[in-house]
């Protein structure tokens, strides 16, 4: 089965649905706008990619989503039909006139507090209804929240869970992500399959943080996201957006707790905390004010004591996590998986940079080299060569005196060192007024220097008007 099937939707769906146009194409499915010819209404049809369908048990997938079709709520986009053609499953939803929350956030830096809280509360109502019926969404993100008539409608309810159940866990094993890394909970990012309502509470917390703060709470490469989520490293929302009601900020931060038991147990509890956190009328009367002040003093003492205890618990938890992570890194190093070992070690380095075990491990699994450009000041990005068009990770601005790569060095004779990379990378250099250059890391690190080919140091950047589109720069030696 190939994706050719997706390029001829009119052939296999025309008997019931008149395909009008393709409206979205992602890693798991292609979405078409169509007309339901029987009921004369607009619908959206999602057709799973054949490569994904081959991993699934199609009949099992269709049975799993049958549960979702029974969800009825004003803020849930209902599943109205499903089927399969040539072994490829599809499902049908009403077409919603409007825009996604993602499109709204791309247009506006952040939303007014009242509007953001209202949208979050409507999503929470939808989640509560689904959770009571045993359905966990698993992929709450701005792209799956549609805004129609000013109100939120949640799409793709339980599809991620249905995919995983239909494949009996094989999708996760083969590296297919059933969720969006920036919004998935730490336990989901860690590969746990037994997820409950609290994972959706976390996802909604991420979405509301972005609506209020103008950015997602966790950003960066996948390895950086996972590390920060596990450690709970988040910029306080009140610092991102000063003036935000304290109650709302605290509710969001509770929803984003690393440990599931520290979050709200239900989406309904999260909704209630958000509504309670909105500004209320100021109390009147000196007696009432004195009572409030006295209560605040007592509360402050309790909070300070609680913070101190929490810090001790947090330190112990981090130390245990670091020890376990370094043990995993050493096992990976022993197995020759140096890139995996370095990824784990870098997570510990962010928290305990002076750890003695870490200091012994890093020289064994990695090496550092300077990266310079002529002229300096270029932004540097790297991309895993084996990632096949994966995400570019920002590294810094040249000159970079110590850029770290997984691998080691082998002394060839005299002062010459042969650098052994564990995995090649693409390296990109961008500087205003100069042409962007992309090189393999070997051309920069001197991997082939033992054969008489020098590393390009510094990397030469050409002015925009120096080379034509038909020319490519090749360093001489």
């Amino acid at each position: 089965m190939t994706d050719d099937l997706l390029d001829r939707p009119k052939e296999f769906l025309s008997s019931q649905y008149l395909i009008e146009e393709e409206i979205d194409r992602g890693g798991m499915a292609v979405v078409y706008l169509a007309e339901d010819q029987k009921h004369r209404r607009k619908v959206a049809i999602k057709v799973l990619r054949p490569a994904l369908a081959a991993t699934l048990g199609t009949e099992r997938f269709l049975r799993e989503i049958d549960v979702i079709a029974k969800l009825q709520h004003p803020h849930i986009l209902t599943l109205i039909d499903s089927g399969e053609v040539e072994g490829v499953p599809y499902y049908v939803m009403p077409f919603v006139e409007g825009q996604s929350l993602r499109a709204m956030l791309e247009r506006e830096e952040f939303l007014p507090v009242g509007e953001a809280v209202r949208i979050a509360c409507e999503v929470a109502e939808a989640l509560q209804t689904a959770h009571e019926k045993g359905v966990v969404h698993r992929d709450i993100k701005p792209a799956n929240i549609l805004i129609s008539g000013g109100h939120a409608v949640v799409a793709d309810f339980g599809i991620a869970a249905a995919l995983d159940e239909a494949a009996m866990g094989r999708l996760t094993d083969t590296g297919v992500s059933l969720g969006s890394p920036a919004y998935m909970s730490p336990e989901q990012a860690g590969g746990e399959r037994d997820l409950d309502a609290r994972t959706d509470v976390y996802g909604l917390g991420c979405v509301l943080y972005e609506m209020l703060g103008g950015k997602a709470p966790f950003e960066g490469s996948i390895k950086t996201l996972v590390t920060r989520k596990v450690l709970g490293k988040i910029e306080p929302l009140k610092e991102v957006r000063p003036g935000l009601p304290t109650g709302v900020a605290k509710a969001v931060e509770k929803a984003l707790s690393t440990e599931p038991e520290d979050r709200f147990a239900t989406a309904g509890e999260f909704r209630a905390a958000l509504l309670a956190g909105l500004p209320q009328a100021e109390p009147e009367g000196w007696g009432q004010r004195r009572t409030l002040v006295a209560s605040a003093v007592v509360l402050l003492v309790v909070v300070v004591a609680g913070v101190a205890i929490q810090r001790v618990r947090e330190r112990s938890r981090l130390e245990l996590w670091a020890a376990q992570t370094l043990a995993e890194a050493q096992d990976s190093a022993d197995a020759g998986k140096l890139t995996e070992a370095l990824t784990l070690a870098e997570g510990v380095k962010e928290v305990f940079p002076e750890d003695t075990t870490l200091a012994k491990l890093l020289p064994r699994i990695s090496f550092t080299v300077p990266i310079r450009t002529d002229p300096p000041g270029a932004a540097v990005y790297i991309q895993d060569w084996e990632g096949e068009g994966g995400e570019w990770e920002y590294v810094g601005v040249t000159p970079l005196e110590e850029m770290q790569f997984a691998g080691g060095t082998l002394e060839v004779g005299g002062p010459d060192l042969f650098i052994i990379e564990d995995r090649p990378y693409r390296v990109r250099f961008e500087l205003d007024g100069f042409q962007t250059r992309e090189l393999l890391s070997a051309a920069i690190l001197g991997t082939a220097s033992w054969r008489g080919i020098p590393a390009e140091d510094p990397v030469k950047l050409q002015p925009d008007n120096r080379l034509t589109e038909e020319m490519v720069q090749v360093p001489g030696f």
Side-chain angles (χ1 to χ4, degrees):
M1 265 186 310
T2 69
D3 279 5
D4 294 344
L5 181 68
L6 301 178
D7 296 324
R8 47 186 180 90
K10 293 181 180 180
E11 293 181 24
F12 65 87
L13 289 174
S14 59
S15 60
Q16 185 173 352
Y17 300 102
L18 180 62
I19 304 296
E20 296 186 0
E21 61 177 318
E22 179 182 314
I23 55 178
D24 192 23
R25 182 175 287 248
M28 289 192 176
V30 177
V31 187
Y32 302 100
L33 172 63
E35 182 177 337
D36 180 346
Q37 297 190 87
K38 179 179 180 180
H39 301 288
R40 298 300 175 187
R41 59 182 174 179
K42 299 291 184 183
V43 295
I45 304 176
K46 280 200 172 185
V47 182
L48 296 189
R49 287 188 175 277
L52 176 60
T55 307
L56 299 172
T58 299
E59 291 183 8
R60 184 179 174 92
F61 171 73
L62 294 175
R63 286 199 305 271
E64 292 291 339
I65 64 173
D66 187 54
V67 177
I68 305 164
K70 296 179 175 61
L71 293 178
Q72 299 292 327
H73 190 274
H75 299 302
I76 292 178
L77 188 61
T78 309
L79 188 70
I80 58 176
D81 191 16
S82 62
E84 63 91 16
V85 176
E86 297 184 24
V88 177
Y90 66 87
Y91 54 98
V92 185
M93 303 161 291
F95 177 70
V96 175
E97 295 284 354
Q99 62 179 333
S100 70
L101 179 59
R102 166 54 57 217
M104 180 184 292
L105 291 175
E106 287 175 354
R107 191 178 64 252
E108 304 177 32
E109 183 178 0
F110 49 76
L111 302 184
V113 175
E115 182 178 5
V117 170
R118 178 182 56 77
I119 290 173
C121 286
E122 290 178 348
V123 174
E125 289 178 29
L127 290 173
Q128 184 67 28
T129 296
H131 294 161
E132 289 172 354
K133 291 179 170 54
V135 178
V136 180
H137 193 290
R138 296 194 186 194
D139 196 17
I140 291 295
K141 60 184 178 182
N144 279 338
I145 299 173
L146 309 178
I147 307 299
S148 178
H151 294 283
V153 182
V154 184
D156 277 358
F157 243 106
I159 296 299
L163 286 168
D164 195 34
E165 289 298 325
M168 294 177 286
R170 293 193 301 273
L171 292 182
T172 303
D173 295 339
T174 56
V176 176
S177 175
L178 295 175
S180 304
Y183 304 94
M184 68 171 57
S185 65
E187 61 270 24
Q188 186 176 0
E192 292 185 25
R193 295 184 61 206
D194 188 17
L195 304 172
D196 59 24
R198 294 170 297 182
T199 202
D200 283 347
V201 168
Y202 187 96
L204 181 55
C206 288
V207 171
L208 182 51
Y209 185 106
E210 185 172 354
M211 285 194 285
L212 294 170
K215 61 179 182 179
F218 302 97
E219 297 178 324
S221 64
I222 293 179
K223 69 178 183 181
T224 301
L225 282 170
V226 173
T227 298
R228 289 178 177 171
K229 284 174 182 286
V230 170
L231 299 179
K233 299 180 68 174
I234 180 174
E235 188 175 1
L237 193 50
K238 289 275 284 184
E239 293 181 11
V240 177
R241 187 169 178 181
L244 192 68
T246 301
V248 171
K250 286 187 176 297
V252 174
E253 288 165 9
K254 181 177 175 67
L256 292 175
S257 296
T258 301
E259 302 296 338
E261 58 266 25
D262 293 332
R263 298 176 209 147
F264 298 102
T266 68
E269 288 183 12
F270 186 19
R271 177 181 180 276
L274 289 172
L275 294 175
L278 290 174
Q280 304 295 322
E282 291 292 330
E284 297 180 1
W286 283 103
Q288 186 177 10
R289 293 191 183 200
R290 283 195 295 270
T291 301
L292 287 171
V293 170
S295 299
V297 171
V298 174
L299 179 60
L300 179 60
V301 172
V302 173
V303 168
V304 169
V307 168
I309 294 172
Q310 180 63 28
R311 285 179 177 173
V312 172
R313 291 175 55 195
E314 179 72 9
R315 179 74 182 184
S316 299
R317 184 174 68 83
L318 289 179
E319 289 175 347
L320 176 61
W321 169 83
Q324 293 172 336
T325 302
L326 284 176
E328 292 178 23
Q330 289 175 322
D331 289 344
S332 297
D334 292 340
K337 301 176 181 178
L338 302 187
T339 300
E340 180 180 305
L342 181 59
T343 299
L344 293 167
E346 284 178 335
V348 176
K349 188 177 180 181
E350 288 191 25
V351 187
F352 298 113
E354 307 300 326
D355 185 273
T356 54
T357 303
L358 177 68
K360 294 177 182 178
L361 179 63
L362 284 175
R364 178 184 165 198
I365 62 175
S366 66
F367 58 89
T368 58
V369 293
I371 301 248
R372 307 180 183 93
T373 56
D374 179 19
V380 182
Y381 302 84
I382 63 172
Q383 181 191 66
D384 189 343
W385 174 262
E386 298 178 1
E388 297 183 357
E391 180 181 357
W392 284 93
E393 179 180 351
Y394 173 73
V395 177
V397 175
T398 58
L400 297 169
E401 296 305 325
E402 292 189 346
M403 187 166 171
Q404 198 159 34
F405 289 90
T409 58
L410 176 66
E411 189 168 346
V412 176
D416 295 331
L417 292 177
F418 174 35
I419 298 176
I420 306 171
E421 288 184 87
D422 184 52
R423 182 177 296 177
Y425 287 87
R426 295 181 177 91
V427 186
R428 174 187 290 173
F429 301 90
E430 296 182 357
L431 181 63
D432 287 345
F434 291 82
Q435 290 186 328
T436 296
R437 283 201 68 185
E438 289 184 13
L439 299 171
L440 274 180
S441 50
I444 303 164
L445 305 179
T447 301
S449 63
W450 64 285
R451 297 192 178 188
I453 304 174
E456 187 173 351
D457 181 21
V459 174
K460 182 69 175 175
L461 303 180
Q462 300 291 345
D464 279 335
N465 58 2
R466 182 85 180 268
L467 303 178
T468 66
E469 291 184 359
E470 293 78 16
M471 301 173 69
V472 63
Q473 182 177 343
V474 179
F477 59 91

